[in-house]
Amino acid sequence: MNEITKALTEAVSDACERHPSVTEAGGEVEWNAELWNALEQIGVTLLSVPEEAGGAGGDMSMAVAVLQVLGEQSAGVPFAETALLGAWLLSESGAPIPDGVLTAAVAEPDVTLIEEPGGSWTLDGTLSRVPWARYADHIVLLVDGNVVLVERQRASVTPGSNMAGEPRDRVEFNRVAVDTVFTPVDDAGVSPQAFAARGALARTASMAGAARRALDLSVRYASERQQFGRPVKAFQAVQQLLATLAGETLLCGVAAESAAQALDVDPGSLLPIAAAKTSASKSAGEVASVAHQVHGAIGVTDEHELRLSTTRLWAWREEFGSARAWAKQVGEIGAKAGADGLWAALVNGR
Amino acid sequence: MDALTLDAVVFPDHLKTLRQDVRAFLREEIASGAITPKIDQWLSGWDPAFSRRLAARGWVGMALPEQYGGSSAGPLARFVVIEELLAAGAPVAAHWIADRQSGPSILKFGSEEQKTTYLPRIAKGECYFGIGMSEPDTGSDLASVRTRGTKVDGGWVLNGTKVWTSGAHRADALIALVRTEPLGDSRHAGLTQIIVDLPNPGIQIRPIYLMTGEHDFNEVVFENAFIPDSRVLGEPGSGWAQVTSELAMERSGPERILSTFPLLVFALRALEAADEGVDEVRFGSILARLWSLRQLSVAVAGQLDAGEDPAIAAALVKNLGTQFESLLIDSVRALVDVEPDLGSEDELARMLAYAVLHSPGFTLRGGTNQILQGIVAKALGGRA
């Protein structure tokens, strides 16, 4: 990790500790406005978006490092949706990036852009499971190869959530007027597939962070919890669980960072992200179940903080493409490479 | 928990050329029939002529400096070469241990005379080493070795037995860990590493056959074997620290992930030949895991390249990687209908049988996974 990234992640980590995110008992993740303001002051909410487009500059590797911290802290802020998805779509289309929180989605097949008589445009249809929609100031949609920006207030939002209580809302557009339709620049590589890949990379990085927290909590608990007159960590069976946690956690982190590096070097490479998401999703399940095993019964309760990490791991592994869908992508790339090209594909990332 | 902070690595561009060169060489070797791809060839593929051909291209002894015949290419360059060799299933066993650990150990701890005697020959692919660590009553608990070195005029007399010494019957030397002082308060004190040239009139080498019938491993019996003073590696009594350093080299490499990879290639080739599609989800799952594990292994090589000592990360890689080697076999069984048979004319049936019968060794050799997990857990901190 270079010095700039290190300083950035330390600043983000400090901000998360100053403004801890809260999840109500049994309920929804609270939008952490103070943390978002702090992140804006640090200048990371538009990280990885080019400065000339109004962003903060930086690359995917830096964004992934920040996402790991936010994931570790179970932070209630839509950084990935704002920077990596919404602002990305806008900047690649030469559109101005508005202040505030963004969320983003691919419109097809549920929402269509309709040309009204007189030449104006409207959106019509309903999207499901849009992350953080109710707290977003604007919603950015990729629709039929074009990009549109809509004020959230013009849509009708019905709250929903993932297993961690993070907002995953239903967003209804009822002939909502669209002011401008932006077209991505030619070589931008904007596509539903690229959108999903960036989202998947973001969730992979977040999973690495959540896994790290689950590991840290488990090591702490196993050191403090006494049974049979000694800390449970003294038992080899528990040590082996901790080693499994450490391995899967490290694997998640390196996978996310490697995929980000691959994307920074070669924006068209799909295999690294598909492989990282597939592998991290597997690790996430392993980490969650082993962390709970280490914690015993207290870990499954609403009052214990372990659930903040494990429910996220369970939810994130299927977001922006299920673990199965991404595994299939990897398999397709491998089958296409064929027996003679399989190793080269793994090494080259395409 | 700094042991778990590991930066991902992108290979520098100049190594791409090296990789292409190795691939072109291997394609030619396979096409001409000079070598035949198989799994687990870093243990079982003993082919001195191939080792010399590799060395002639500068691909043995890459960790050694030029003054001793090496290429000072560094850990990342060596990583590129060895992972290409492993992925292709090339027969690398003859020089593997000398290249991986004996050579670097002699470079680190050896006398000038030892360096000039062994290292240039290792780099030429002509001098092969065995490992003299385990004993009949000493497996994971390495400090319990009982092979004894007794000081005599001009050298040491060794008595005892080493086991699981792969290639000892064909090797030029081995490095034995022996007790040279009586067991005292510290079990780690009083141990010494000694380079043992082979053959030696005081040493008997007996085969230990694997369940495949292969002869890779040996029992090495020392009966008043005389070894001159000049063959003590490092200082007498400092064997424990040296052997720990050697184990880090033994544990961190891509051979702890890729031993069975050629089997996946064989399986895909069989499906292609039969014009059958592959179960993409299952195939993709195993490929994805391999991709991530490889990135982890590359990151460890990157740390070595930066001069750091990633002992804990290496233990983690070996723990996960060796489990993957068996997982790959199960994935192949789920992807292709094939009955394993060592005597089959069908390559995949033969290779699957070979892989299944080799698989228990993956998570044992170089330190059992349970021991590695203990090392990791200890490093994680917290009170215990």
Side-chain angles (χ1 to χ4, degrees):
Chain A
M1 192 182 288
N2 64 38
E3 290 305 311
I4 299 172
T5 309
K6 206 171 163 205
L8 205 57
T9 53
E10 280 168 9
V12 171
S13 190
D14 283 351
C16 289
E17 272 159 30
R18 270 184 286 121
H19 309 287
S21 297
V22 178
T23 305
E24 289 168 19
E28 304 277 292
V29 173
E30 282 178 22
W31 154 241
N32 192 336
E34 288 83 14
L35 176 58
W36 187 257
N37 290 338
L39 294 178
E40 280 190 330
Q41 276 172 17
I42 297 167
V44 293
T45 52
L46 292 178
L47 191 64
S48 81
V49 181
E51 287 178 68
E52 55 271 24
D59 56 18
M60 289 303 275
S61 296
M62 294 169 80
V64 155
V66 167
L67 278 160
Q68 288 191 62
V69 175
L70 295 173
E72 189 176 347
Q73 303 275 357
S74 305
V77 288
F79 166 68
E81 290 75 7
T82 298
L84 270 61
L85 299 174
W88 169 69
L89 286 174
L90 294 171
S91 73
E92 295 298 326
S93 311
I97 300 169
D99 289 340
V101 173
L102 303 176
T103 190
V106 174
E108 294 91 19
D110 303 314
V111 168
T112 47
L113 188 62
I114 300 165
E115 187 169 9
E116 302 287 352
S120 66
W121 296 89
T122 60
L123 281 173
D124 199 68
T126 302
L127 291 170
S128 57
R129 308 196 67 77
V130 179
W132 296 96
R134 80 192 82 148
Y135 298 113
D137 299 301
H138 291 87
I139 302 171
V140 187
L141 292 181
L142 175 61
V143 49
D144 202 16
N146 295 304
V147 172
V148 299
L149 177 71
V150 193
E151 286 172 33
R152 191 254 308 152
Q153 286 172 339
R154 298 195 196 181
S156 159
V157 176
T158 311
S161 59
N162 66 11
M163 283 187 285
E166 292 184 311
R168 299 292 183 261
D169 299 334
R170 203 158 66 91
V171 179
E172 193 179 341
F173 300 96
N174 191 2
R175 295 266 165 160
V176 168
V178 170
D179 298 331
T180 317
V181 176
F182 300 98
T183 306
V185 293
D186 283 343
D187 57 352
V190 169
S191 67
Q193 192 185 51
F195 182 92
R198 295 171 70 87
L201 176 58
R203 290 297 186 260
T204 301
S206 303
M207 284 192 278
R212 180 63 193 240
R213 172 54 58 88
L215 166 67
D216 288 348
L217 290 173
S218 300
V219 170
R220 196 171 77 199
Y221 184 80
S223 306
E224 290 169 359
R225 170 72 168 171
Q226 302 259 340
Q227 291 289 272
F228 305 101
R230 47 187 173 153
V232 295
K233 192 183 179 236
F235 295 91
Q236 286 195 351
V238 175
Q239 290 174 10
Q240 292 176 355
L241 293 178
L242 295 177
T244 299
L245 278 178
E248 299 296 336
T249 299
L250 188 65
L251 190 64
C252 254
V254 170
E257 288 161 29
S258 300
Q261 285 178 347
L263 201 66
D264 283 331
V265 173
D266 176 6
S269 63
L270 183 63
L271 175 65
I273 291 174
K277 177 69 158 44
T278 304
S279 163
S281 297
K282 174 83 171 60
S283 298
E286 186 78 10
V287 166
S289 70
V290 174
H292 276 294
Q293 190 67 24
V294 170
H295 276 80
I298 192 69
V300 306
T301 61
D302 203 56
E303 70 181 83
H304 197 281
E305 62 180 316
L306 178 63
R307 67 168 169 101
L308 298 177
S309 303
T310 54
T311 52
R312 280 168 174 76
L313 288 169
W314 286 319
W316 290 340
R317 63 183 175 176
E318 314 296 357
E319 291 186 352
F320 291 101
S322 67
R324 182 181 183 280
W326 282 112
K328 193 164 188 294
Q329 286 257 20
V330 177
E332 282 169 9
I333 295 168
K336 202 171 158 211
D340 292 330
L342 185 62
W343 175 249
L346 275 168
V347 171
N348 300 338
R350 51 161 68 218
Chain B
M1 258 176 276
D2 279 338
L4 286 184
T5 307
L6 200 56
D7 285 346
V9 167
V10 178
F11 282 106
D13 273 345
H14 72 271
L15 294 181
K16 284 184 184 158
T17 317
L18 173 65
R19 189 185 291 282
Q20 294 312 325
D21 291 346
V22 179
R23 272 188 203 161
F25 165 76
L26 287 170
R27 266 198 303 274
E28 174 59 32
E29 287 277 316
I30 293 166
S32 70
I35 63 168
T36 306
K38 288 186 191 133
I39 68 137
D40 212 15
Q41 289 296 282
W42 64 271
L43 175 70
S44 302
W46 193 281
D47 184 343
F50 180 72
S51 292
R52 286 193 293 270
R53 290 200 294 281
L54 271 184
R57 281 161 179 80
W59 296 335
V60 178
M62 295 176 78
L64 304 175
E66 285 156 39
Q67 67 180 113
Y68 300 118
S71 58
S72 307
L76 274 180
R78 178 172 178 271
F79 187 97
V80 166
V81 170
I82 64 174
E83 74 165 349
E84 289 295 326
L85 291 166
L86 294 162
V92 290
H95 69 275
W96 194 259
I97 288 160
D99 179 73
R100 177 181 71 188
Q101 63 197 79
S102 316
S105 237
I106 290 170
L107 177 69
K108 202 165 168 187
F109 304 112
S111 67
E112 190 55 36
E113 184 271 330
Q114 289 168 352
K115 291 180 199 175
T116 52
T117 301
Y118 294 104
L119 300 185
R121 288 172 56 220
I122 287 174
K124 279 186 188 158
E126 290 175 353
C127 180
Y128 313 133
F129 271 71
I131 302 172
M133 295 189 197
S134 298
E135 297 185 1
D137 294 320
T138 294
S140 296
D141 179 13
L142 199 52
S144 70
V145 292
R146 292 198 303 208
T147 298
R148 178 166 298 278
T150 311
K151 188 74 189 88
V152 295
D153 195 24
W156 299 78
V157 169
L158 305 194
N159 280 288
T161 304
K162 293 290 177 184
V163 283
W164 316 123
T165 308
S166 50
H169 55 307
R170 296 179 281 210
D172 300 279
L174 59 84
I175 300 179
L177 180 69
V178 302
R179 181 154 288 287
T180 47
E181 288 165 40
L183 196 57
D185 290 342
S186 166
R187 303 170 70 237
H188 297 162
L191 295 169
T192 301
Q193 281 193 307
I194 296 183
I195 304 172
V196 178
D197 290 320
L198 298 171
N200 176 311
I203 296 175
Q204 280 192 55
I205 296 173
R206 301 173 187 149
I208 302 173
Y209 295 102
L210 289 176
M211 57 179 132
T212 51
E214 290 166 285
H215 176 197
D216 296 326
F217 292 110
N218 300 277
E219 183 181 57
V220 180
V221 182
F222 298 80
E223 285 173 353
N224 294 319
F226 175 79
I227 312 292
D229 279 327
S230 64
R231 287 299 165 263
V232 170
L233 182 63
E235 293 301 313
S238 62
W240 183 256
Q242 292 175 201
V243 93
T244 307
S245 148
E246 195 180 326
L247 280 171
M249 297 183 247
E250 184 174 338
R251 286 171 177 164
S252 61
E255 71 269 38
R256 304 301 181 176
I257 298 171
L258 292 172
S259 298
T260 54
F261 176 74
L263 181 67
L264 192 60
V265 175
F266 288 128
L268 189 56
R269 188 167 291 131
L271 288 168
E272 286 169 356
D275 210 14
E276 274 183 58
V278 62
D279 175 343
E280 284 160 341
V281 174
R282 197 178 282 273
F283 183 48
S285 297
I286 195 78
L287 282 183
R289 183 86 177 169
L290 173 56
W291 182 87
S292 293
L293 285 167
R294 176 177 174 269
Q295 298 304 134
L296 190 55
S297 182
V298 173
V300 170
Q303 278 213 333
L304 288 169
D305 211 52
E308 289 164 44
D309 173 25
I312 303 307
L316 278 171
V317 173
K318 184 175 177 298
N319 183 35
L320 293 175
T322 52
Q323 292 176 58
F324 170 83
E325 292 179 330
S326 287
L327 186 69
L328 185 148
I329 298 172
D330 282 337
S331 289
V332 163
R333 290 178 48 247
L335 289 170
V336 193
D337 292 306
V338 59
E339 197 173 332
D341 178 358
L342 276 182
S344 174
E345 288 176 11
D346 176 55
E347 190 178 45
L348 181 60
R350 215 166 52 238
M351 214 47 63
L352 178 60
Y354 193 69
V356 169
L357 294 169
H358 270 232
S359 62
F362 302 156
T363 46
L364 299 174
R365 56 195 186 191
T368 70
N369 282 37
Q370 284 63 39
I371 289 294
L372 297 172
Q373 287 163 13
I375 291 172
V376 170
K378 209 169 166 186
L380 288 174
R383 286 183 289 124

